PDB file of all heavy atoms in Angstrom:
ATOM      1  N   LYS A  11      15.118   6.691 -17.023  1.00 95.00           N
ATOM      2  CA  LYS A  11      14.524   7.940 -16.547  1.00 95.00           C
ATOM      3  C   LYS A  11      14.836   8.132 -15.064  1.00 95.00           C
ATOM      4  O   LYS A  11      14.808   7.175 -14.299  1.00 95.00           O
ATOM      5  CB  LYS A  11      13.004   7.868 -16.714  1.00 95.00           C
ATOM      6  CG  LYS A  11      12.471   8.829 -17.768  1.00 95.00           C
ATOM      7  CD  LYS A  11      11.028   8.544 -18.065  1.00 95.00           C
ATOM      8  CE  LYS A  11      10.094   9.216 -17.086  1.00 95.00           C
ATOM      9  NZ  LYS A  11       9.869  10.628 -17.242  1.00 95.00           N
ATOM     10  N   GLY A  12      15.105   9.373 -14.679  1.00 95.00           N
ATOM     11  CA  GLY A  12      15.293   9.670 -13.258  1.00 95.00           C
ATOM     12  C   GLY A  12      13.945   9.927 -12.597  1.00 95.00           C
ATOM     13  O   GLY A  12      12.956  10.212 -13.274  1.00 95.00           O
ATOM     14  N   GLY A  13      13.888   9.792 -11.292  1.00 95.00           N
ATOM     15  CA  GLY A  13      12.692  10.157 -10.540  1.00 95.00           C
ATOM     16  C   GLY A  13      11.505   9.235 -10.739  1.00 95.00           C
ATOM     17  O   GLY A  13      10.362   9.627 -10.509  1.00 95.00           O
ATOM     18  N   VAL A  14      11.742   7.981 -11.186  1.00 97.00           N
ATOM     19  CA  VAL A  14      10.630   7.043 -11.382  1.00 97.00           C
ATOM     20  C   VAL A  14      10.541   6.027 -10.242  1.00 97.00           C
ATOM     21  O   VAL A  14       9.856   5.015 -10.358  1.00 97.00           O
ATOM     22  CB  VAL A  14      10.714   6.310 -12.744  1.00 97.00           C
ATOM     23  CG1 VAL A  14      10.592   7.298 -13.888  1.00 97.00           C
ATOM     24  CG2 VAL A  14      11.994   5.509 -12.853  1.00 97.00           C
ATOM     25  N   ALA A  15      11.255   6.301  -9.142  1.00 98.00           N
ATOM     26  CA  ALA A  15      11.203   5.469  -7.922  1.00 98.00           C
ATOM     27  C   ALA A  15      12.072   4.207  -7.991  1.00 98.00           C
ATOM     28  O   ALA A  15      11.790   3.241  -7.292  1.00 98.00           O
ATOM     29  CB  ALA A  15       9.750   5.124  -7.539  1.00 98.00           C
ATOM     30  N   LYS A  16      13.146   4.242  -8.783  1.00 98.00           N
ATOM     31  CA  LYS A  16      14.079   3.103  -8.791  1.00 98.00           C
ATOM     32  C   LYS A  16      14.632   2.854  -7.386  1.00 98.00           C
ATOM     33  O   LYS A  16      14.615   1.726  -6.883  1.00 98.00           O
ATOM     34  CB  LYS A  16      15.265   3.370  -9.727  1.00 98.00           C
ATOM     35  CG  LYS A  16      14.958   3.240 -11.199  1.00 98.00           C
ATOM     36  CD  LYS A  16      16.201   3.430 -12.047  1.00 98.00           C
ATOM     37  CE  LYS A  16      16.749   4.844 -11.998  1.00 98.00           C
ATOM     38  NZ  LYS A  16      15.834   5.873 -12.507  1.00 98.00           N
ATOM     39  N   THR A  17      15.143   3.926  -6.777  1.00 98.00           N
ATOM     40  CA  THR A  17      15.798   3.760  -5.479  1.00 98.00           C
ATOM     41  C   THR A  17      14.779   3.388  -4.401  1.00 98.00           C
ATOM     42  O   THR A  17      15.022   2.493  -3.581  1.00 98.00           O
ATOM     43  CB  THR A  17      16.554   5.058  -5.123  1.00 98.00           C
ATOM     44  OG1 THR A  17      17.512   5.311  -6.161  1.00 98.00           O
ATOM     45  CG2 THR A  17      17.270   4.937  -3.792  1.00 98.00           C
ATOM     46  N   THR A  18      13.627   4.040  -4.436  1.00 98.00           N
ATOM     47  CA  THR A  18      12.556   3.722  -3.484  1.00 98.00           C
ATOM     48  C   THR A  18      12.135   2.257  -3.619  1.00 98.00           C
ATOM     49  O   THR A  18      11.955   1.546  -2.619  1.00 98.00           O
ATOM     50  CB  THR A  18      11.340   4.649  -3.749  1.00 98.00           C
ATOM     51  OG1 THR A  18      11.786   5.999  -3.632  1.00 98.00           O
ATOM     52  CG2 THR A  18      10.205   4.384  -2.796  1.00 98.00           C
ATOM     53  N   ASN A  19      11.995   1.796  -4.863  1.00 98.00           N
ATOM     54  CA  ASN A  19      11.601   0.391  -5.076  1.00 98.00           C
ATOM     55  C   ASN A  19      12.720  -0.565  -4.682  1.00 98.00           C
ATOM     56  O   ASN A  19      12.452  -1.645  -4.148  1.00 98.00           O
ATOM     57  CB  ASN A  19      11.191   0.175  -6.534  1.00 98.00           C
ATOM     58  CG  ASN A  19       9.814   0.735  -6.821  1.00 98.00           C
ATOM     59  OD1 ASN A  19       8.897   0.575  -6.017  1.00 98.00           O
ATOM     60  ND2 ASN A  19       9.657   1.404  -7.948  1.00 98.00           N
ATOM     61  N   ASP A  40      24.314   3.432  -8.891  1.00 98.00           N
ATOM     62  CA  ASP A  40      24.112   4.789  -9.395  1.00 98.00           C
ATOM     63  C   ASP A  40      25.204   5.695  -8.820  1.00 98.00           C
ATOM     64  O   ASP A  40      25.297   5.840  -7.598  1.00 98.00           O
ATOM     65  CB  ASP A  40      22.718   5.287  -8.963  1.00 98.00           C
ATOM     66  CG  ASP A  40      22.414   6.679  -9.496  1.00 98.00           C
ATOM     67  OD1 ASP A  40      23.321   7.324 -10.073  1.00 98.00           O
ATOM     68  OD2 ASP A  40      21.266   7.125  -9.329  1.00 98.00           O
ATOM     69  N   TYR A  44      22.356   7.820  -4.270  1.00 98.00           N
ATOM     70  CA  TYR A  44      21.191   8.184  -3.447  1.00 98.00           C
ATOM     71  C   TYR A  44      20.817   7.054  -2.487  1.00 98.00           C
ATOM     72  O   TYR A  44      20.491   7.295  -1.319  1.00 98.00           O
ATOM     73  CB  TYR A  44      20.023   8.549  -4.369  1.00 98.00           C
ATOM     74  CG  TYR A  44      18.812   9.093  -3.662  1.00 98.00           C
ATOM     75  CD1 TYR A  44      18.876  10.265  -2.908  1.00 98.00           C
ATOM     76  CD2 TYR A  44      17.582   8.438  -3.747  1.00 98.00           C
ATOM     77  CE1 TYR A  44      17.757  10.767  -2.257  1.00 98.00           C
ATOM     78  CE2 TYR A  44      16.457   8.931  -3.099  1.00 98.00           C
ATOM     79  CZ  TYR A  44      16.546  10.095  -2.363  1.00 98.00           C
ATOM     80  OH  TYR A  44      15.437  10.567  -1.722  1.00 98.00           O
ATOM     81  N   ASP A 127      20.273  -1.305  -7.779  1.00 98.00           N
ATOM     82  CA  ASP A 127      19.680  -0.018  -8.156  1.00 98.00           C
ATOM     83  C   ASP A 127      20.523   0.570  -9.291  1.00 98.00           C
ATOM     84  O   ASP A 127      21.696   0.884  -9.102  1.00 98.00           O
ATOM     85  CB  ASP A 127      19.708   0.914  -6.927  1.00 98.00           C
ATOM     86  CG  ASP A 127      18.976   2.226  -7.152  1.00 98.00           C
ATOM     87  OD1 ASP A 127      18.245   2.359  -8.150  1.00 98.00           O
ATOM     88  OD2 ASP A 127      19.133   3.131  -6.297  1.00 98.00           O
ATOM     89  N   SER A 186       4.814   3.459 -10.418  1.00 97.00           N
ATOM     90  CA  SER A 186       5.117   3.951  -9.072  1.00 97.00           C
ATOM     91  C   SER A 186       4.615   5.365  -8.842  1.00 97.00           C
ATOM     92  O   SER A 186       4.478   6.148  -9.786  1.00 97.00           O
ATOM     93  CB  SER A 186       6.632   3.916  -8.843  1.00 97.00           C
ATOM     94  OG  SER A 186       7.097   2.587  -8.978  1.00 97.00           O
ATOM     95  N   ASN A 187       4.392   5.657  -7.559  1.00 95.00           N
ATOM     96  CA  ASN A 187       4.059   7.027  -7.168  1.00 95.00           C
ATOM     97  C   ASN A 187       2.747   7.483  -7.816  1.00 95.00           C
ATOM     98  O   ASN A 187       2.630   8.613  -8.254  1.00 95.00           O
ATOM     99  CB  ASN A 187       5.216   7.948  -7.604  1.00 95.00           C
ATOM    100  CG  ASN A 187       5.537   8.965  -6.537  1.00 95.00           C
ATOM    101  OD1 ASN A 187       4.759   9.169  -5.601  1.00 95.00           O
ATOM    102  ND2 ASN A 187       6.670   9.619  -6.679  1.00 95.00           N
ATOM    103  N   VAL A 188       1.779   6.558  -7.886  1.00 96.00           N
ATOM    104  CA  VAL A 188       0.514   6.827  -8.581  1.00 96.00           C
ATOM    105  C   VAL A 188      -0.506   7.427  -7.608  1.00 96.00           C
ATOM    106  O   VAL A 188      -0.676   6.930  -6.498  1.00 96.00           O
ATOM    107  CB  VAL A 188      -0.076   5.517  -9.170  1.00 96.00           C
ATOM    108  CG1 VAL A 188      -1.427   5.787  -9.814  1.00 96.00           C
ATOM    109  CG2 VAL A 188       0.886   4.898 -10.171  1.00 96.00           C
ATOM    110  N   ILE A 216       2.153   0.917  -7.411  1.00 98.00           N
ATOM    111  CA  ILE A 216       2.474   1.419  -6.070  1.00 98.00           C
ATOM    112  C   ILE A 216       1.977   2.858  -5.980  1.00 98.00           C
ATOM    113  O   ILE A 216       2.386   3.724  -6.764  1.00 98.00           O
ATOM    114  CB  ILE A 216       4.012   1.390  -5.813  1.00 98.00           C
ATOM    115  CG1 ILE A 216       4.553  -0.044  -5.817  1.00 98.00           C
ATOM    116  CG2 ILE A 216       4.344   2.100  -4.497  1.00 98.00           C
ATOM    117  CD1 ILE A 216       4.227  -0.861  -4.576  1.00 98.00           C
ATOM    118  N   ARG A 217       1.073   3.078  -5.060  1.00 98.00           N
ATOM    119  CA  ARG A 217       0.477   4.414  -4.942  1.00 98.00           C
ATOM    120  C   ARG A 217       1.377   5.353  -4.165  1.00 98.00           C
ATOM    121  O   ARG A 217       2.259   4.919  -3.420  1.00 98.00           O
ATOM    122  CB  ARG A 217      -0.894   4.283  -4.276  1.00 98.00           C
ATOM    123  CG  ARG A 217      -1.811   3.415  -5.134  1.00 98.00           C
ATOM    124  CD  ARG A 217      -3.102   3.128  -4.453  1.00 98.00           C
ATOM    125  NE  ARG A 217      -3.941   4.310  -4.373  1.00 98.00           N
ATOM    126  CZ  ARG A 217      -5.274   4.278  -4.371  1.00 98.00           C
ATOM    127  NH1 ARG A 217      -5.908   3.131  -4.464  1.00 98.00           N
ATOM    128  NH2 ARG A 217      -5.964   5.383  -4.264  1.00 98.00           N
ATOM    129  N   ARG A 218       1.176   6.651  -4.397  1.00 98.00           N
ATOM    130  CA  ARG A 218       1.931   7.656  -3.645  1.00 98.00           C
ATOM    131  C   ARG A 218       1.495   7.597  -2.177  1.00 98.00           C
ATOM    132  O   ARG A 218       0.300   7.693  -1.885  1.00 98.00           O
ATOM    133  CB  ARG A 218       1.646   9.051  -4.220  1.00 98.00           C
ATOM    134  CG  ARG A 218       2.501  10.146  -3.595  1.00 98.00           C
ATOM    135  CD  ARG A 218       1.969  11.526  -3.962  1.00 98.00           C
ATOM    136  NE  ARG A 218       1.880  11.733  -5.399  1.00 98.00           N
ATOM    137  CZ  ARG A 218       2.845  12.254  -6.131  1.00 98.00           C
ATOM    138  NH1 ARG A 218       3.959  12.635  -5.574  1.00 98.00           N
ATOM    139  NH2 ARG A 218       2.684  12.413  -7.428  1.00 98.00           N
ATOM    140  N   ARG A 219       2.434   7.406  -1.305  1.00 98.00           N
ATOM    141  CA  ARG A 219       2.134   7.293   0.115  1.00 98.00           C
ATOM    142  C   ARG A 219       3.175   8.030   0.935  1.00 98.00           C
ATOM    143  O   ARG A 219       4.381   7.829   0.743  1.00 98.00           O
ATOM    144  CB  ARG A 219       2.137   5.819   0.547  1.00 98.00           C
ATOM    145  CG  ARG A 219       0.982   4.995  -0.001  1.00 98.00           C
ATOM    146  CD  ARG A 219      -0.318   5.351   0.683  1.00 98.00           C
ATOM    147  NE  ARG A 219      -1.435   4.539   0.237  1.00 98.00           N
ATOM    148  CZ  ARG A 219      -2.377   4.951  -0.617  1.00 98.00           C
ATOM    149  NH1 ARG A 219      -2.316   6.171  -1.130  1.00 98.00           N
ATOM    150  NH2 ARG A 219      -3.371   4.160  -0.947  1.00 98.00           N
ATOM    151  N   VAL A 220       2.703   8.851   1.874  1.00 98.00           N
ATOM    152  CA  VAL A 220       3.626   9.563   2.764  1.00 98.00           C
ATOM    153  C   VAL A 220       4.484   8.569   3.544  1.00 98.00           C
ATOM    154  O   VAL A 220       5.678   8.800   3.772  1.00 98.00           O
ATOM    155  CB  VAL A 220       2.824  10.465   3.733  1.00 98.00           C
ATOM    156  CG1 VAL A 220       3.753  11.108   4.767  1.00 98.00           C
ATOM    157  CG2 VAL A 220       2.092  11.538   2.953  1.00 98.00           C
ATOM    158  N   ILE A 222       5.731   5.816   2.626  1.00 98.00           N
ATOM    159  CA  ILE A 222       6.859   5.325   1.824  1.00 98.00           C
ATOM    160  C   ILE A 222       7.983   6.343   1.852  1.00 98.00           C
ATOM    161  O   ILE A 222       9.146   6.026   2.127  1.00 98.00           O
ATOM    162  CB  ILE A 222       6.416   5.029   0.372  1.00 98.00           C
ATOM    163  CG1 ILE A 222       5.445   3.849   0.355  1.00 98.00           C
ATOM    164  CG2 ILE A 222       7.619   4.766  -0.528  1.00 98.00           C
ATOM    165  CD1 ILE A 222       4.939   3.453  -1.025  1.00 98.00           C
ATOM    166  N   LYS A 223       7.635   7.601   1.612  1.00 98.00           N
ATOM    167  CA  LYS A 223       8.636   8.667   1.605  1.00 98.00           C
ATOM    168  C   LYS A 223       9.283   8.800   2.984  1.00 98.00           C
ATOM    169  O   LYS A 223      10.502   8.921   3.112  1.00 98.00           O
ATOM    170  CB  LYS A 223       7.967   9.977   1.188  1.00 98.00           C
ATOM    171  CG  LYS A 223       8.965  11.027   0.778  1.00 98.00           C
ATOM    172  CD  LYS A 223       8.305  12.148   0.014  1.00 98.00           C
ATOM    173  CE  LYS A 223       9.288  13.269  -0.284  1.00 98.00           C
ATOM    174  NZ  LYS A 223      10.588  12.807  -0.766  1.00 98.00           N
ATOM    175  N   VAL A 226      11.707   5.883   3.649  1.00 97.00           N
ATOM    176  CA  VAL A 226      12.948   6.016   2.877  1.00 97.00           C
ATOM    177  C   VAL A 226      13.805   7.156   3.436  1.00 97.00           C
ATOM    178  O   VAL A 226      15.022   7.025   3.560  1.00 97.00           O
ATOM    179  CB  VAL A 226      12.629   6.219   1.372  1.00 97.00           C
ATOM    180  CG1 VAL A 226      13.868   6.646   0.612  1.00 97.00           C
ATOM    181  CG2 VAL A 226      12.067   4.934   0.769  1.00 97.00           C
ATOM    182  N   ASP A 227      13.156   8.254   3.801  1.00 97.00           N
ATOM    183  CA  ASP A 227      13.919   9.377   4.387  1.00 97.00           C
ATOM    184  C   ASP A 227      14.604   8.964   5.687  1.00 97.00           C
ATOM    185  O   ASP A 227      15.629   9.525   6.060  1.00 97.00           O
ATOM    186  CB  ASP A 227      12.997  10.585   4.630  1.00 97.00           C
ATOM    187  CG  ASP A 227      12.633  11.289   3.331  1.00 97.00           C
ATOM    188  OD1 ASP A 227      13.267  10.987   2.291  1.00 97.00           O
ATOM    189  OD2 ASP A 227      11.716  12.132   3.330  1.00 97.00           O
ATOM    190  N   TYR A 246       4.458  -4.745  -2.210  1.00 98.00           N
ATOM    191  CA  TYR A 246       5.890  -5.103  -2.226  1.00 98.00           C
ATOM    192  C   TYR A 246       6.090  -6.574  -1.819  1.00 98.00           C
ATOM    193  O   TYR A 246       6.960  -7.254  -2.364  1.00 98.00           O
ATOM    194  CB  TYR A 246       6.689  -4.170  -1.318  1.00 98.00           C
ATOM    195  CG  TYR A 246       6.973  -2.829  -1.962  1.00 98.00           C
ATOM    196  CD1 TYR A 246       6.481  -1.649  -1.412  1.00 98.00           C
ATOM    197  CD2 TYR A 246       7.733  -2.748  -3.124  1.00 98.00           C
ATOM    198  CE1 TYR A 246       6.742  -0.421  -1.994  1.00 98.00           C
ATOM    199  CE2 TYR A 246       7.991  -1.525  -3.723  1.00 98.00           C
ATOM    200  CZ  TYR A 246       7.505  -0.364  -3.155  1.00 98.00           C
ATOM    201  OH  TYR A 246       7.756   0.846  -3.752  1.00 98.00           O
TER     202      TYR A 246
HETATM  203  P1  ADP B   1      14.784   7.339  -8.891  1.00 58.60           P
HETATM  204  O1  ADP B   1      15.686   6.460  -8.085  1.00 58.60           O
HETATM  205  O2  ADP B   1      14.156   6.613 -10.051  1.00 58.60           O
HETATM  206  O3  ADP B   1      15.430   8.614  -9.326  1.00 58.60           O
HETATM  207  P2  ADP B   1      13.434   7.866  -6.353  1.00 58.60           P
HETATM  208  O4  ADP B   1      13.230   6.521  -5.761  1.00 58.60           O
HETATM  209  O5  ADP B   1      14.567   8.668  -5.824  1.00 58.60           O
HETATM  210  O6  ADP B   1      13.537   7.761  -7.941  1.00 58.60           O
HETATM  211  O7  ADP B   1      12.047   8.630  -6.194  1.00 58.60           O
HETATM  212  C1  ADP B   1      11.873   9.975  -6.613  1.00 58.60           C
HETATM  213  C2  ADP B   1      11.098  10.730  -5.538  1.00 58.60           C
HETATM  214  O8  ADP B   1       9.782  10.231  -5.440  1.00 58.60           O
HETATM  215  C3  ADP B   1      11.717  10.610  -4.153  1.00 58.60           C
HETATM  216  O9  ADP B   1      11.601  11.854  -3.505  1.00 58.60           O
HETATM  217  C4  ADP B   1      10.853   9.563  -3.466  1.00 58.60           C
HETATM  218  O10 ADP B   1      10.808   9.761  -2.069  1.00 58.60           O
HETATM  219  C5  ADP B   1       9.498   9.811  -4.097  1.00 58.60           C
HETATM  220  N1  ADP B   1       8.667   8.602  -4.161  1.00 58.60           N
HETATM  221  C6  ADP B   1       8.883   7.507  -4.922  1.00 58.60           C
HETATM  222  N2  ADP B   1       7.887   6.608  -4.781  1.00 58.60           N
HETATM  223  C7  ADP B   1       7.006   7.144  -3.910  1.00 58.60           C
HETATM  224  C8  ADP B   1       5.735   6.710  -3.373  1.00 58.60           C
HETATM  225  N3  ADP B   1       5.175   5.536  -3.719  1.00 58.60           N
HETATM  226  N4  ADP B   1       5.103   7.533  -2.493  1.00 58.60           N
HETATM  227  C9  ADP B   1       5.650   8.720  -2.160  1.00 58.60           C
HETATM  228  N5  ADP B   1       6.822   9.188  -2.626  1.00 58.60           N
HETATM  229  C10 ADP B   1       7.501   8.416  -3.506  1.00 58.60           C
END
Side-chain angles (χ1 to χ4, degrees):
K11 248 170 84 76
V14 297
K16 284 184 293 298
T17 301
T18 302
N19 284 318
D40 182 352
Y44 187 61
D127 187 12
S186 300
N187 222 346
V188 177
I216 296 285
R217 299 173 71 150
R218 186 193 304 269
R219 290 287 183 257
V220 174
I222 293 180
K223 196 164 175 45
V226 168
D227 286 348
Y246 281 118

